[in-house]
Amino acid sequence: MKSHKPTIVWYQAVTCNGNTHSLLSASSSRLELFLNSFDLIYHPSLTIDTTLDDILKLKDIDFLLVEGAITSDEKYYSINQNSTKNILEKLSQKAKYIISVGSCASYGGVHKKFEQNDDILGVEEIIDTKKYKNLKHEIVNLTGCPVHPEWILQTVFSLNSFSRMSLDDEKRPRELYSNLAHHGCTRNEYFEWKVEGDFGQKEGCLFYDQGCRGPMTHSSCNKILWNDVSSKTRAGMPCIGCTEKDFPRENMLETKKNIGIPLDVPLGIPKRAYLSITGVAKTFKIDRLNKKLMD
Amino acid sequence: MKTVDIVERIEGEARLNCTWENGFVKDTQIDFLNFRGFEYILEGKPALDALVYTPRICGICGQAHLKATVEALENIYKSLNEELVITNKAKILREIGLNIEIIDSHIKWFYMFILPDVIKLKENDLKEYSPLKGKRWLEACKTASETIKALAIIGGQWPHTSYMIPGGVVSDPTLLDLTSMMNYLDLAINFFEDSIAGVSFDKYLSFNSVDDLNILNEDLKYFTNLSFEYSLQKYGTSYDRHLALSDSSISKRGKIRQRLTDKLDLNKIKENCDRTFKVEEDSKNKEKHTWSKAVTYNSMFYETGPFSRAMVSHREFIYELHKSYKDSVFTRVMARVDEIAHLLHSTKELIKQVDISEESYIKPKISLKDIPKANAKSVVEACRGSLYHNVSIEKGIITKYDVITPTVWNLGPAIKDEKGVAQKAIIGSPSLDIAKIVLRSFDVCSVCTTH
Ligand code: SF4
Ligand code: SF4
């Protein structure tokens, strides 16, 4: 694979760099293949000989990966003595594919909560794709705070091979975001039989008290494991729904309830159906599920 | 002559302004121009949500912020004489997570953020140290990524888990989990032996004199040789005052001005905003040039970080290097890399101490929502030094949240005529390249500095 490699530019705007560190924590053989298959010509914290100015002089970029929210407010944020919005627009002119890496780039994320700066947006809200001649595809949103590194790799590889991806209403790749975080969680059986969990336990489901958003959150966190080893809900931390537009919500570590019943029920399930099933499931006291997994 | 240089390949971006005289830096100013307003974001939010927000201050040291938040919230209970019982197991699992994140950060910093610049003083071709491609660079990246898996086992993922909560931790690892965690750390120990220090781990840990530099091989030897060739053992000296606000598994709290003392009073920490932009005003004020605040202890600047921790805890090897090379770039870099070894050693020991039969979490009897009004502080030793959180809540809602990051101690601006720590260190540098290396030796993280 010595011929021309597609170029990637990683542009950082208003961010904590979490997606960069997520990428660096990818499965290392996959990351190496990625770095070998593409030419990552610019990343502000990794590459050494190219400056953003050099990149701005280029004619084309194959993949523009954006990390972080975008603002035009130079009082709060400037890169290279320019606003993050101006630079994004310039880079976007050159790109064949634009990928928003993480919830901040996708819709503002955590940074949008800084209300003193009322001009914090996601990439998609700024770039009118019709005006950008070079673009071959809609903007792809890889939501998540941070995004799973394997989702980045699969998306870039896939666009490079097939030039297309099927996206959902939020412009996220269907293949990565049709599942719910709940799918594949090791606590599923407890969910089924309504066995409530608590922090610090291997047993029980975190839906009833700890605020788990697994059943309402589109992601493949329990399908493609994190750092190759686990996921939040497997370890015992509730899903906080970081791939959805309403992240960060309020009271993320507790379940909102109405007369003891979770206010939000699993996605697409009629409340009545959910309540009936719950009622039935609760009448059985399953010994195995109420015991410790291991004594 | 004046120069302005944009510094990339740090966590974020900074601007380094230098005035030159006879080929040396005469004066300097460091600007951090980006501000995300986390303290503002936290105001009005439910207290427990801070456990989700503060790790997102920084993608590389989020667990330090998590630990600071959880301990600040627990200190609220303490301030009301309702101290929570945190099991030894939970305490250890928190310490382990924090340590692993520091190891990950230090490895990345050495190979991605400082070594390339030091090599560039001599060679244009970085060869195996080339970013993204070089064999050693990739090995370092792989080691960091394998190491962090040990944290993902108890945290579920990294970056950005909130596995610590008031009352303990959310996870309950098995003996096999603990074993796997040790395996991942062993991979890092192997890398340390084979590639970083080039001597056996035990031998390295017993280092206690300047002469031990001669035993080093591999990358630390390479770095040492380059340092002496380009006088990095002479540049970068600052106040040589050191501060560690908290204990850690490998270091003690304390400060060194002329003498060492472990008496610290958090009330003596003062922030200063004379040169700091303000959210409330559109400042055209010429004095103001950065979003970073300045911070002092008892009206004095102190350095913080791995080097200061080693000094305060009297860790032999670094202590001896300091006798010969003071608070130079060389000593500072060596101290950070040295910490990798000590952390790996101590973290493995900690894992062995976890008693899986203990509880991971004991639910607090009182909800923060039922507390009319309270305030508490916490301090944690993070990758780059001492981290301080100060939170006030009313009926479970945050009314004020103040964060002072390690990088504010090191990289903050001057107060009146007194230079900030890094600023003072940069003055006297003979070239822009060296000035930047001095700056980097503090492990610059612009996202933390301004948060
Ligand atoms: S913990 Fe969350 S993701 Fe897991 S089964 Fe329960 S609701 Fe689903
Ligand atoms: S489990 Fe939920 S909160 Fe965690 S990363 Fe996945 S979507 Fe985000």
Side-chain angles (χ1 to χ4, degrees):
Chain A
M1 289 205 277
K2 291 276 180 238
S3 57
H4 167 78
K5 293 175 184 173
T7 52
I8 299 180
V9 166
W10 183 292
Y11 171 55
Q12 268 180 346
V14 188
T15 177
C16 70
N17 304 340
N19 293 291
T20 291
H21 289 288
S22 184
L23 176 74
L24 292 173
S25 308
S27 149
S28 33
S29 57
R30 297 275 297 153
L31 183 65
E32 263 182 57
L33 183 74
F34 175 75
L35 293 172
N36 218 340
S37 310
F38 298 90
D39 195 0
L40 178 47
I41 49 177
Y42 175 78
H43 183 304
S45 31
L46 302 178
T47 54
I48 194 159
D49 289 322
T50 351
T51 63
L52 190 53
D53 275 332
D54 299 332
I55 298 300
L56 288 167
K57 285 181 203 130
L58 291 179
K59 228 173 118 264
D60 305 297
I61 298 167
D62 291 307
F63 292 91
L64 174 63
L65 271 54
V66 184
E67 172 178 24
I70 306 294
T71 179
S72 59
D73 191 325
E74 280 182 62
K75 174 185 171 189
Y76 290 116
Y77 228 89
S78 78
I79 296 222
N80 238 355
Q81 313 191 33
N82 206 336
S83 80
T84 53
K85 180 167 176 240
N86 278 338
I87 299 175
L88 173 72
E89 281 169 344
K90 285 187 190 156
L91 291 172
S92 298
Q93 299 282 0
K94 308 166 193 293
K96 290 191 186 131
Y97 299 96
I98 300 176
I99 301 172
S100 297
V101 179
S103 293
C104 298
S106 300
Y107 52 82
V110 165
H111 303 302
K112 208 175 178 130
K113 298 281 173 186
F114 178 45
E115 285 161 8
Q116 284 74 1
N117 179 358
D118 56 11
D119 171 55
I120 292 186
L121 297 165
V123 172
E124 197 206 330
E125 295 168 278
I126 290 168
I127 300 300
D128 175 3
T129 46
K130 283 186 218 82
K131 285 202 207 131
Y132 292 77
K133 302 265 156 17
N134 260 354
L135 264 187
K136 282 190 167 175
H137 199 277
E138 286 175 276
I139 292 173
V140 177
N141 287 334
L142 294 180
T143 60
C145 186
V147 64
H148 192 302
E150 182 62 20
W151 306 347
I152 308 176
L153 303 188
Q154 291 188 5
T155 300
V156 178
F157 274 120
S158 170
L159 284 173
N160 192 48
S161 304
F162 299 106
S163 311
R164 68 188 146 79
M165 274 193 124
S166 166
L167 304 182
D168 69 9
D169 294 344
E170 307 286 346
K171 302 233 166 75
R172 302 174 294 196
R174 277 186 213 277
E175 285 169 85
L176 294 168
Y177 294 88
S178 294
N179 279 91
L180 300 176
H182 177 66
H183 297 161
C185 175
T186 48
R187 297 169 191 269
N188 277 171
E189 215 186 7
Y190 298 102
F191 177 86
E192 261 170 63
W193 296 96
K194 313 300 163 205
V195 179
E196 298 173 14
D198 198 354
F199 289 128
Q201 308 283 335
K202 288 186 268 289
E203 306 80 9
C205 166
L206 308 165
F207 181 69
Y208 308 98
D209 280 310
Q210 289 72 31
C212 187
R213 299 292 291 179
M216 300 82 141
T217 300
H218 294 92
S219 90
S220 29
C221 292
N222 272 308
K223 196 176 151 210
I224 306 175
L225 291 185
W226 277 88
N227 310 82
D228 290 344
V229 297
S230 195
S231 73
K232 283 206 192 79
T233 63
R234 286 184 178 206
M237 190 193 153
C239 168
I240 49 173
C242 73
T243 54
E244 299 295 347
K245 233 180 182 153
D246 61 356
F247 174 79
R249 292 165 308 109
E250 289 227 323
N251 293 312
M252 287 175 275
L253 302 177
E254 62 186 68
T255 307
K256 233 199 249 158
K257 283 188 267 195
N258 187 11
I259 34 174
I261 297 158
L263 209 63
D264 294 334
V265 299
L267 201 77
I269 310 290
K271 199 150 197 174
R272 214 163 57 90
Y274 177 77
L275 292 180
S276 327
I277 290 280
T278 306
V280 175
K282 278 200 164 167
T283 59
F284 301 100
K285 196 170 173 321
I286 316 277
D287 222 26
R288 178 169 61 82
L289 297 181
N290 285 291
K291 277 206 316 233
K292 284 267 168 208
L293 256 177
M294 302 163 217
D295 275 318
Chain B
M1 185 182 70
K2 268 196 168 164
T3 57
V4 182
D5 201 76
I6 289 167
V7 188
E8 290 187 322
R9 227 159 25 75
I10 53 177
E11 298 292 328
E13 190 189 91
R15 212 164 60 183
L16 182 62
N17 307 268
C18 296
T19 354
W20 299 85
E21 197 176 76
N22 304 325
F24 291 91
V25 175
K26 182 170 165 252
D27 197 7
T28 182
Q29 178 186 302
I30 310 162
D31 308 337
F32 292 99
L33 300 175
N34 298 335
F35 184 71
R36 297 166 304 148
F38 268 90
E39 287 152 336
Y40 290 84
I41 293 177
L42 285 161
E43 251 171 58
K45 299 282 185 299
L48 287 182
D49 283 355
L51 299 166
V52 174
Y53 278 100
T54 65
R56 289 167 169 82
I57 289 176
C58 178
I60 195 153
C61 69
Q63 298 305 299
H65 285 286
L66 176 65
K67 191 159 183 282
T69 297
V70 89
E71 289 179 0
L73 295 177
E74 284 169 353
N75 286 342
I76 283 189
Y77 288 97
K78 206 170 170 180
S79 74
L80 304 168
N81 283 326
E82 295 283 352
E83 191 167 353
L84 301 182
V85 183
I86 312 296
T87 61
N88 205 29
K89 174 183 173 189
K91 284 186 197 153
I92 298 176
L93 289 173
R94 289 177 183 177
E95 200 71 37
I96 292 171
L98 176 65
N99 286 358
I100 293 170
E101 183 177 76
I102 299 177
I103 296 166
D104 174 274
S105 177
H106 286 353
I107 295 174
K108 285 175 180 160
W109 172 79
F110 185 60
Y111 286 98
M112 298 176 184
F113 298 148
I114 189 133
L115 194 55
D117 294 61
V118 176
I119 299 174
K120 280 256 164 169
L121 292 172
K122 191 179 167 94
E123 328 260 356
N124 236 328
D125 183 357
L126 290 177
K127 302 208 185 78
E128 70 243 54
Y129 301 96
S130 301
L132 310 174
K133 295 186 179 70
K135 191 166 156 272
R136 191 52 65 77
W137 191 98
L138 287 166
E139 279 167 7
C141 185
K142 175 178 176 174
T143 307
S145 148
E146 291 292 312
T147 309
I148 212 75
K149 287 179 182 178
L151 172 49
I153 289 178
I154 48 173
Q157 72 176 71
W158 188 88
H160 293 345
T161 159
S162 308
Y163 79 101
M164 309 175 202
I165 40 165
V169 295
V170 301
S171 49
D172 185 28
T174 64
L175 216 48
L176 285 185
D177 289 335
L178 297 177
T179 310
S180 304
M181 290 165 74
M182 292 205 277
N183 292 157
Y184 289 124
L185 295 185
D186 278 335
L187 285 172
I189 290 176
N190 292 345
F191 181 73
F192 191 91
E193 290 184 321
D194 295 344
S195 305
I196 298 183
V199 297
S200 82
F201 199 55
D202 293 339
K203 178 85 198 156
Y204 181 86
L205 290 174
S206 72
F207 277 14
N208 59 10
S209 89
V210 182
D211 294 336
D212 288 328
L213 287 174
N214 302 323
I215 311 174
L216 286 172
N217 284 303
E218 298 301 325
D219 297 339
L220 275 185
K221 179 178 183 181
Y222 188 28
F223 169 74
T224 304
N225 291 344
L226 286 167
S227 294
F228 286 103
E229 197 171 338
Y230 293 91
S231 304
L232 299 184
Q233 84 281 23
K234 295 206 177 102
Y235 297 118
T237 58
S238 185
Y239 292 103
D240 214 354
R241 293 197 284 253
H242 302 281
L243 179 73
L245 289 176
S246 168
D247 289 319
S248 80
S249 69
I250 58 160
S251 60
K252 299 193 191 73
R253 74 200 282 264
K255 70 176 175 62
I256 302 177
R257 203 175 128 206
Q258 268 119 18
R259 283 174 303 110
L260 171 72
T261 165
D262 60 359
K263 284 194 194 65
L264 292 176
D265 175 3
L266 297 186
N267 294 314
K268 291 191 173 157
I269 298 172
K270 291 273 171 317
E271 286 182 293
N272 173 295
C273 296
D274 290 351
R275 293 171 207 255
T276 316
F277 301 129
K278 268 206 170 117
V279 166
E280 298 79 20
E281 55 191 52
D282 270 319
S283 164
K284 293 278 177 300
N285 182 341
K286 274 225 183 95
E287 283 282 282
K288 299 187 183 268
H289 62 84
T290 179
W291 276 107
S292 176
K293 295 174 183 167
V295 61
T296 54
Y297 182 88
N298 207 5
S299 308
M300 242 174 288
F301 281 118
Y302 281 87
E303 176 168 349
T304 183
F307 173 38
S308 301
R309 288 196 277 263
M311 290 302 293
V312 168
S313 304
H314 207 308
R315 208 157 59 231
E316 280 307 320
F317 185 39
I318 300 305
Y319 205 83
E320 289 302 312
L321 291 185
H322 171 265
K323 277 190 193 153
S324 304
Y325 310 117
K326 295 200 276 195
D327 51 339
S328 62
V329 168
F330 177 66
T331 325
R332 204 174 282 122
V333 174
M334 289 301 284
R336 199 174 296 273
V337 179
D338 179 74
E339 214 181 60
I340 299 174
H342 290 275
L343 282 171
L344 282 167
H345 174 73
S346 130
T347 311
K348 263 191 81 176
E349 291 304 311
L350 284 175
I351 296 176
K352 285 186 206 148
Q353 286 166 24
V354 176
D355 174 0
I356 55 167
S357 69
E358 269 189 283
E359 296 292 333
S360 293
Y361 168 76
I362 300 170
K363 195 182 169 93
K365 288 194 195 74
I366 305 170
S367 159
L368 291 168
K369 290 177 189 160
D370 299 329
I371 297 171
K373 212 171 170 179
N375 163 272
K377 299 170 182 148
S378 64
V379 281
V380 165
E381 283 303 313
C383 322
R384 293 164 184 75
S386 302
L387 170 66
Y388 162 104
H389 281 203
N390 183 356
V391 60
S392 304
I393 62 167
E394 247 179 80
K395 296 197 187 93
I397 301 293
I398 297 165
T399 50
K400 191 162 171 38
Y401 206 118
D402 186 25
V403 175
I404 304 176
T405 57
T407 41
V408 174
W409 288 96
N410 291 335
L411 301 160
I415 301 177
K416 303 215 171 70
D417 294 333
E418 196 100 358
K419 305 282 174 205
V421 173
Q423 224 182 342
K424 185 168 162 65
I426 291 168
I427 293 172
S429 299
S431 67
L432 185 60
D433 287 339
I434 299 275
K436 280 203 210 170
I437 288 173
V438 174
L439 178 63
R440 279 184 195 286
S441 72
F442 290 93
D443 196 351
V444 185
C445 176
S446 80
V447 296
C448 267
T449 312
T450 59
H451 44 279

